[in-house]
Amino acid sequence: MAVAKSGKAAIAVVSKAFMGLGRAQASALKFAALPICVIDHPFGSRKRDEVKQMAVRCVDDIMVLMGASVAA
């Protein structure tokens, strides 16, 4: 949160199961507007190829949250 409050770009990455907790923590730290990129849960039991696909989607989501265009 300190990075976000300093005016630098900051995005939290949380799994679906922890979205509520992530949002609550951001609010408690007075940064309710913190962009959050949500990934599927659980991911620890997924195969390597599935995790790679999740990572690609996550990068695309982060780019959108930062205001960039993402090629389809």
Side-chain angles (χ1 to χ4, degrees):
M1 297 300 164
V3 172
K5 289 181 179 180
S6 73
K8 296 179 181 168
I11 294 175
V13 178
V14 300
S15 66
K16 287 180 182 177
F18 295 98
M19 177 61 179
L21 181 60
R23 185 58 62 208
Q25 187 67 27
S27 293
L29 294 171
K30 311 255 188 281
F31 199 69
L34 178 71
I36 296 179
C37 177
V38 181
I39 61 173
D40 289 334
H41 184 91
F43 58 90
S45 60
R46 296 179 188 257
K47 293 182 175 13
R48 185 177 296 266
D49 288 340
E50 291 177 288
V51 174
K52 285 180 183 179
Q53 291 172 356
M54 289 172 66
V56 169
R57 284 191 305 271
C58 185
V59 169
D60 287 347
D61 291 347
I62 290 170
M63 296 299 290
V64 169
L65 287 169
M66 294 186 73
S69 298
V70 176

